[in-house]
Amino acid sequence: MEIYSHPDIAEILAIEDNQKCMDCGTAKPKWASINNGVFLCLKCAGLHRNFGLNISVIRSLQIDSWDDKQIMFLKKGGNANYKELLKEFNLLSTNSLDLKYKTKAADYYRKKLRQDVEKEINPDYKELEIEKPDITTGLEIIETKTNDADIYNND
């Protein structure tokens, strides 16, 4: 039996799509990208760490501490939901991590996921209008930010 650093992780991993790495399909992922809400193997988590925090915030499911807000990203996200985004933009079969995570479509997904989490935990949250990109615009690569410290607020 696996031991995780938050009691809800085992329940989230019980969902079939979450039982394999989002990127390579390796069984029993031990890492997750919080802001993408996906589960990853060690190798793919290492690749995600190089993206920068505006693209992927990586945590170990067993070693790192998780707060309830971070867990909500995994509950509201999950590999199946991210696969739906990739399918919608014809990216499901691509091996390019840049196309999977650095496009305007992926950026839209992260913003929408963050908003869904905020709405869940804060009843007074004022929803913003987030425009979904069309298929052509969605495939454009976004500029990456250089100052990761300002991108992800862990509070």
Side-chain angles (χ1 to χ4, degrees):
M1 181 177 182
E2 301 284 347
I3 297 174
Y4 300 105
S5 55
H6 190 283
D8 291 353
I9 291 175
E11 177 185 328
I12 300 166
L13 283 173
I15 298 168
E16 186 176 346
D17 279 315
N18 296 339
Q19 294 174 10
K20 292 183 178 177
C21 175
M22 176 66 204
D23 294 343
C24 73
T26 297
K28 298 183 179 180
K30 303 280 191 263
W31 297 81
S33 171
I34 297 171
N35 55 337
N36 290 293
V38 299
F39 295 88
L40 303 164
C41 69
L42 175 62
K43 179 182 174 186
C44 292
L47 296 172
H48 275 246
R49 284 194 185 274
N50 293 324
F51 290 163
L53 298 176
N54 63 314
I55 303 295
S56 195
V57 178
I58 299 298
R59 294 285 184 272
S60 167
L61 299 173
Q62 296 177 313
I63 299 168
D64 294 320
S65 62
W66 288 76
D67 62 33
D68 291 339
K69 182 177 181 179
Q70 293 167 331
I71 291 295
M72 188 63 63
F73 275 84
L74 301 181
K75 287 181 177 180
K76 295 262 181 208
N79 290 1
N81 287 333
Y82 204 82
K83 285 178 186 176
E84 281 301 314
L85 169 85
L86 296 177
K87 184 177 177 183
E88 187 174 340
F89 285 88
N90 299 315
L91 295 171
L92 191 56
S93 62
T94 186
N95 290 325
S96 169
L97 293 181
D98 283 353
L99 286 174
K100 282 185 176 180
Y101 295 99
K102 295 181 180 181
T103 59
K104 289 184 178 181
D107 192 53
Y108 161 80
Y109 181 87
R110 286 186 291 273
K111 288 176 182 174
K112 187 78 174 119
L113 179 58
R114 176 174 284 285
Q115 182 166 277
D116 289 348
V117 168
E118 293 294 343
K119 286 189 317 189
E120 181 78 20
I121 62 175
N122 180 3
D124 296 326
Y125 178 77
K126 302 287 188 241
E127 190 170 344
L128 304 172
E129 187 173 330
I130 302 171
E131 187 174 338
K132 187 175 194 174
D134 61 44
I135 189 79
T136 303
T137 306
L139 297 177
E140 293 175 8
I141 302 293
I142 61 171
E143 291 186 37
T144 57
K145 297 182 171 101
T146 55
N147 185 2
D148 288 344
D150 296 331
I151 310 264
Y152 181 74
N153 181 354
N154 200 16
D155 295 336

